[in-house]
Structure formats: structure tokens, C-alpha cells
Amino acid sequence: MRIETDVLIIGSGIAGLRFAIEVSEFAEVYIVTKKDKAESNTNYAQGGIASVLSPDDDFELHIKDTLSAGDGLCNRDAVELIVREGPGEIQKLIELGTQFSINKSGRLDLAKEGGHSRSRIVHAKDLTGYEVERALLKRISEIKNIHLLENHFAIDLITEHHIGKKRKSSDEKIHCWGAYVFDVKKGEVHTFISKVTLLATGGLGQAYLHTTNPPIATGDGFAMAYRAGALIGNMEFVQFHPTALFESDSENRSTKPAFLISEAVRGFGAKLRLKNGEEFMHKYDPRGELAPRDIVARAIDSELKKSGDSFVYLDLTFKNSDEVKEKFPNIYAKCLEKNIDITRDLIPVIPAAHYACGGVVTDFEGQTTIENLFATGEVAMTGVHGANRLASNSLLEALVFSKNAARACRRVILNHQYNLPEGIPDWIDTSRLTTEEQILISQSRHEIREILWDYVGIVRSNERLNRALRRCKLIYEEVKSMYDESKISEEILELRNLIEVAYLITYSASLRKESRGLHYNIDYPFKDDVNFLKPTLVQNPLI
Ligand code: FAD
Ligand code: SIN
């Protein structure tokens, strides 16, 4: 099937949906999403959305906190943009029907999280993402010119490459004209031709063995953009959330995410303790439990290495139990299912891969280096997060940049700044094998996740990175031939993307010969502002 539309959006998390609502005012919109429409990182966001809304807060403080977490690599203008536009975006979400938690004075209840000097996290109890996703999807369902297709997996972006046009020089612009999309239920690949395409595919946590990210987070957008020739930046900065619930089956091979114990729990006063009950965070940072995530995750990692234990504890038992249940009903209920009553028992936690600070490089309107390809949300690198993202700045960044990208999209569509070529071919299926090769696919997927966890995790070294690079190259070759021969399936498509992002993360980490923010290499334990106060940029050499 061929579908021609004004705008194609890949992904139905906060970034894709916010953009869709704006552009539907002037364009026909298709949203393709690879699973159920709500299945996204957004849906699981707990803590909330950072925004300056309290009289004791100001924009400069939020900017300062963000820059400080980003450890020298944030773009100040990008940070300023999200901070200043934050309150308007919260207001917009409320107008769209989002119900945030309200305090006793009838105002938005503002929580505190690590790295924030003020209480500024707007939230819906501890189910913020679920509530935002619900409200956005409801609004989308009311808009006639938005068509949302579930179980539609984007395979590749359509560019000059697909019409057999070679670039004369690397200065010549690449254009995006849509995407090939696998209709999972029908087993067919459709050709979507669009004037503007938005990548809103979210993160890549599933590239790691332990992650808070749901199974959809296989880095598809990063990989698609890289294959198409877009500039990609800062892939080494993968954020590990310090407190994912440790379960005895945490060592198994499943793609089931680790349940997150929100940073807001530490913001509420919870303490981290070793197995013997000792507190340890004050040894690492004067801000203790509320230091930025890179510091807390590294502190836990270091204590676990010293003790040989598999987890540390998070302690809420000294807090008022009614208040705990009122503020964190979801965390309370989920832990109770595992026989942990968080008002009485210590919670076993470990760090887990959580967020990609790098991604597809964009300007302040979400435009990538490929003409008419936009990227917003976690897949984008806008300059906001630098070397480490401040808690609860992700949903905010997705909102602000998606709104701004819609403004740029309006210009493209209304001024006819697109040039759809003749002769875009349909997908050619060259597969020979069947799904009997399934075991090879799942083995390779597991290998990738182990390699990244073991060698490209919280603490890195030259030897570990070199080992990871060698293994990634080998798996890349194997996956490439499997992909060329396999019948298209979600599994082979995800594997192809996972090995691509594993390589991008490892290669980018090997280029940064210093330690900064989330990237810590024991062979270069210090920051090197002379040589590395800049993003790590990579681009597909084959395009
Ligand atoms: P997502 O919400 O992940 O949406 C991506 C969409 O793309 C999905 O619909 C997916 O199915 C689709 N997709 C992916 N690949 C394809 C493909 N090939 N074809 C078609 N569709 C595809 N951030 C905060 O600011 N505050 C928080 O409190 C917070 N809590 C978090 C808690 C958890 C457990 C997690 C995992 C993350 C949290 N984050 C938080 C981070 C934040 O939720 C994400 O960064 C943000 O939701 C990303 O939004 P997005 O729209 O870019 O991507
Ligand atoms: C959390 O609730 O701890 C997650 C917040 C975030 O990732 O920004």
C-alpha cells in the first residue's frame, strides 16, 4: 500500500502526540507506532515535569541547575528555551485535560528531585506519564485529520538512497520523503510518502541488560537516522537511574524493564543505605541523596563493587506511612505485589539504563541535518542535556521542542518547501529464511545487551571499550547477513537497530578521552576542557 500525506509522525509518546496536535491545525497527519498506542517511555514516567511555577523559584535557577547537571556540554540557549517556555507548556497540558496533583492550597503540587535547587516538579501522583499520555491520546482521538496506526513499525526513512541518487559531495543536502513501514498484523511493508517526517521514537534503554525502559525502547529512531546519514551526537552519555527495583530475577534475559523507584522518593527524603544499614551518599557529595544522577549511580556502583553485594537499600520507613501511600500509590502498590511494604520494609535497588542524552542532532525547531526530517523527544539531541540530564527535564524538552518543530513544519507545508520526487519505489522483499532462525535473533539481542552492560556501563575503561567495539563489529556483520536473508519481523528489525545503537554508543564513548557527566573512563578520570568541551559527533561514512 502507498499512503501520501502531509506529515508522517513515527512514535506516539509525548513528543509525537504534542507535535501531532499542533500540526493538525494545517496538515493531514499519520502517526505510526510500533505497538499499542500508549506503549511508550512516556507512559511510565513517574516523577513529573520540571517547570518554574513557584514564587520562590526563577528561570535563572532552573537554567543554572540544568547547566550544572550537564557538566559543561549544554547549549545555554536551548536550556533557556525549555525553561522559559515550560510554564506555558504545563498550562497547555492542563487545557488538554491533564490532571496534575494539587496541594492543600489548591495550587499545583511541586515536588523536588535530584539536582534541583527548588521544588519545581509538576506531577500526577507518581503516574505522571500515564496521565499525560492519556490526555494527549484522548485529544488526538477527537481530531479528524489525525490517523493513528498501531502495530506499524517504521523500518527506514526514504531518502535519495532509495531512488538511486548519489550525492556529488558531502555538502549536498539529503532529503527525507517519508518511511517504509511494516504493518505487523498484515505482514506487509507500506510506503508512506510525506512532505515532513517527525522521528519521535524515544529511547534506547533496551540496548542494556538492565533498564527502566519498556521493550519498545530499542533505539530505532537513532539507527534509522544514522543509516539515512543524519548527524548524531553525544551517544556516549547514557543515563543510569540510580534506583530501579532489584528483583531476584534481575539477572535473567527477559526484556521486562526494571521497575523504577522515582527520584521523587529521594526528593521526599528517602535515604540510601548499605546492606548493613549504613548511609553512604554524604561521602560522595554534600547534596547526598539529591546529588545529580550520575553521581548517585556511580556512588552505588562503587559501594556495590566494594561490598560485592547485588543491591543497596532505599529507606522510607521513617516517613509518615499515610503520606508515603498518598504520594506514591503506584510505587507502593507495585512493591507490595513483590511483598515489599515500602512504609515498613527497605527497598532493594540497583542502577539501570534509563535515558539517552545524545541523539539525532537538531536545531531549536527540531530540524535535523536531513531536509524535512524533524526529531523531538528522547531521540533528539537538542543541546539541552549536555553530558547529563537533570531529572524531569525530558518531558519538558519533548513538549517545547515538539511545539517549536510544529512551527517550522507549518512553514515547510504552507510555503511548499518540499520537493517530492517521482519514482519512489515500493519495498522490495528479498528474504529467504523463515522465523526458524528466531533463536539466533534472540541470542544476538541478549549478547548486545550484556556487552553494553558489562563494558559500556556506569564505569568504563579503554580495554572494556575496545573489547565492546570488537564484539559489536562481529555481531554487526552477523546481524547484517541475518537481516538480508530473514523474513521481515519486529524481532529482526529491532535487532538490526540495537546493534547499530550499541555500536554508536561504544564508538562515541571511545572517542571521548576524558570523564565528564555520565561518561566515566577510569583511564581518563578527569575532565579535559581543552580538548573535549564539545559534543561527540558521528555520521554514517557510507552515505
Ligand atoms: P516515547 O514516549 O518513548 O515514545 C516513543 C514512541 O515511538 C512509542 O510510541 C514507540 O512505540 C514508538 N516507536 C519506537 N520505534 C518505532 C518504530 N520503529 N516504528 C514505529 N514506532 C516506533 N522524564 C521526565 O522528564 N520525567 C519523569 O518523571 C520521567 N520518568 C521516567 C520513568 C521511566 C520508567 C522511564 C523509562 C523514563 C522516564 N522519563 C522521565 C523519561 C521520559 O519518559 C522519556 O524520555 C520521554 O517519555 C520520551 O518521550 P518520547 O515521546 O520521545 O518517546
Ligand atoms: C523519576 O521519576 O525518577 C524519573 C524522572 C526522570 O527520569 O526525569
Side-chain angles (χ1 to χ4, degrees):
M1 190 164 64
R2 269 169 106 81
I3 294 174
E4 295 199 14
T5 181
D6 293 324
V7 176
L8 172 66
I9 298 173
I10 307 174
S12 59
I14 191 169
L17 299 181
R18 179 71 186 91
F19 181 81
I21 289 170
E22 274 320 283
V23 296
S24 65
E25 287 174 16
F26 54 87
E28 175 167 60
V29 181
Y30 273 83
I31 305 175
V32 293
T33 192
K34 71 182 189 182
K35 297 273 183 201
D36 174 90
K37 57 184 179 253
E39 194 51 17
S40 57
N41 273 354
T42 302
N43 207 35
Y44 299 95
Q46 293 184 356
I49 310 178
S51 189
V52 174
L53 292 159
S54 146
D56 77 338
D57 200 358
D58 73 49
F59 289 149
E60 271 314 313
L61 285 176
H62 189 184
I63 293 169
K64 192 164 157 246
D65 294 343
T66 304
L67 295 177
S68 156
D71 212 2
L73 287 194
C74 301
N75 178 321
R76 191 190 152 99
D77 292 340
V79 174
E80 216 169 312
L81 182 71
I82 62 154
V83 168
R84 289 186 188 282
E85 296 198 6
E89 280 304 299
I90 299 294
Q91 184 53 37
K92 179 76 187 180
L93 284 181
I94 294 171
E95 283 162 26
L96 289 167
T98 313
Q99 297 191 345
F100 290 118
S101 296
I102 302 292
N103 64 22
K104 290 194 182 89
S105 342
R107 299 207 180 85
L108 286 173
D109 185 49
L110 300 175
K112 196 158 187 211
E113 289 183 350
H116 287 275
S117 56
R118 292 288 185 278
S119 296
R120 60 167 77 100
I121 316 299
V122 181
H123 60 104
K125 300 218 167 175
D126 56 353
L127 283 164
T128 310
Y130 179 84
E131 173 57 13
V132 170
E133 186 77 12
R134 181 202 63 74
L136 292 175
L137 281 172
K138 177 161 185 301
R139 179 70 193 110
I140 294 278
S141 71
E142 295 158 357
I143 303 176
K144 294 263 173 318
N145 51 325
I146 300 182
H147 316 276
L148 197 160
L149 305 178
E150 297 180 309
N151 303 304
H152 276 61
F153 192 124
I155 305 174
D156 267 321
L157 299 165
I158 300 174
T159 63
E160 276 82 352
H161 172 77
H162 297 97
I163 55 171
K165 207 171 147 207
K166 280 242 171 314
R167 287 197 299 165
K168 294 193 189 76
S169 80
S170 56
D171 295 337
E172 204 177 314
K173 273 266 177 207
I174 303 170
H175 297 78
C176 177
W177 299 305
Y180 292 113
V181 178
F182 178 51
D183 177 338
V184 178
K185 291 266 147 87
K186 287 201 180 128
E188 289 167 9
V189 177
H190 304 314
T191 310
F192 280 78
I193 299 177
S194 55
K195 297 166 186 166
V196 165
T197 305
L198 176 77
L199 269 182
T201 44
L204 48 68
Q206 286 286 330
Y208 283 85
L209 194 56
H210 303 295
T211 179
T212 61
N213 291 191
I216 55 105
T218 48
D220 301 354
F222 305 86
M224 275 189 272
Y226 179 74
R227 283 196 292 271
L231 191 64
I232 311 284
N234 282 353
M235 293 297 284
E236 67 274 34
F237 296 116
V238 175
Q239 183 171 73
F240 292 81
H241 197 293
T243 55
L245 182 67
F246 175 87
E247 296 185 63
S248 47
D249 66 352
S250 286
E251 306 302 330
N252 75 17
R253 290 173 161 227
S254 104
T255 56
K256 186 178 100 182
F259 180 67
L260 184 74
I261 310 294
S262 173
E263 187 136 341
V265 172
R266 274 174 289 129
F268 181 62
K271 292 285 171 203
L272 282 164
R273 296 186 190 282
L274 299 176
K275 263 190 170 168
N276 63 13
E278 226 177 86
E279 288 181 30
F280 58 90
M281 266 319 297
H282 55 276
K283 286 192 290 185
Y284 294 88
D285 194 284
R287 289 165 288 186
E289 276 74 3
L290 284 181
R293 281 183 194 166
D294 55 330
I295 296 169
V296 183
R298 252 192 325 272
I300 297 175
D301 187 70
S302 153
E303 291 297 332
L304 292 180
K305 287 210 168 96
K306 269 191 261 171
S307 64
D309 291 335
S310 311
F311 56 83
V312 295
Y313 282 120
L314 191 63
D315 180 8
L316 261 176
T317 55
F318 57 96
K319 302 292 283 187
N320 177 296
S321 65
D322 289 339
E323 237 184 301
V324 168
K325 287 188 223 167
E326 155 65 18
K327 284 202 177 292
F328 307 111
N330 177 45
I331 296 175
Y332 176 74
K334 280 275 159 39
C335 288
L336 207 54
E337 278 171 23
K338 319 270 174 204
N339 291 323
I340 303 165
D341 177 345
I342 62 171
T343 64
R344 286 193 289 175
D345 304 324
L346 300 177
I347 314 167
V349 291
I350 41 158
H354 183 62
Y355 183 83
C357 292
V360 185
V361 174
T362 74
D363 67 12
F364 292 171
E365 292 186 320
Q367 171 68 59
T368 70
T369 55
I370 296 185
E371 206 72 2
N372 296 343
L373 174 68
F374 291 79
T376 57
E378 191 165 339
V379 72
M381 191 200 104
T382 61
V384 165
H385 308 306
N388 182 23
R389 172 177 70 96
L390 184 65
S392 288
N393 265 353
S394 166
L395 297 172
L396 175 64
E397 182 207 35
L399 288 167
V400 171
F401 276 79
S402 297
K403 188 196 74 179
N404 288 356
R407 186 175 64 214
C409 174
R410 178 189 284 268
R411 281 200 310 275
V412 173
I413 303 249
L414 300 187
N415 300 338
H416 303 279
Q417 292 164 346
Y418 48 86
N419 189 10
L420 296 175
E422 297 291 313
I424 293 176
D426 284 334
W427 182 261
I428 301 162
D429 186 358
T430 54
S431 62
R432 278 180 276 137
L433 296 185
T434 61
T435 40
E436 275 162 2
E437 295 302 312
Q438 197 60 42
I439 186 67
L440 296 183
I441 296 177
S442 55
Q443 289 282 11
S444 298
R445 183 173 178 136
H446 183 66
E447 265 181 83
I448 294 167
R449 301 178 78 210
E450 273 193 325
I451 290 168
L452 285 209
W453 185 255
D454 290 340
Y455 306 133
V456 203
I458 298 172
V459 175
R460 300 158 182 186
S461 71
N462 287 347
E463 200 181 335
R464 290 182 200 183
L465 292 176
N466 286 336
R467 184 178 272 219
L469 267 181
R470 284 196 299 273
R471 283 165 174 58
C472 281
K473 280 182 186 153
L474 183 71
I475 298 175
Y476 179 85
E477 290 306 326
E478 288 171 359
V479 171
K480 191 173 173 323
S481 62
M482 250 193 273
Y483 173 77
D484 287 343
E485 300 194 337
S486 291
K487 209 168 154 50
I488 292 281
S489 66
E490 291 163 282
E491 291 80 9
I492 187 69
L493 293 173
E494 287 186 343
L495 178 64
R496 176 180 178 235
N497 293 331
L498 280 168
I499 187 59
E500 200 100 65
V501 291
Y503 179 76
L504 287 173
I505 295 168
T506 311
Y507 178 61
S508 303
S510 73
L511 295 179
R512 186 168 288 281
K513 299 187 190 313
E514 62 156 359
S515 288
R516 179 188 299 276
L518 298 159
H519 173 70
Y520 185 74
N521 182 334
I522 53 177
D523 293 310
Y524 313 103
F526 303 108
K527 260 190 285 209
D528 174 356
D529 280 350
V530 175
N531 295 302
F532 290 102
L533 195 58
K534 58 183 182 191
T536 307
L537 298 174
V538 292
Q539 204 156 16
N540 188 345
L542 302 176
I543 293 290

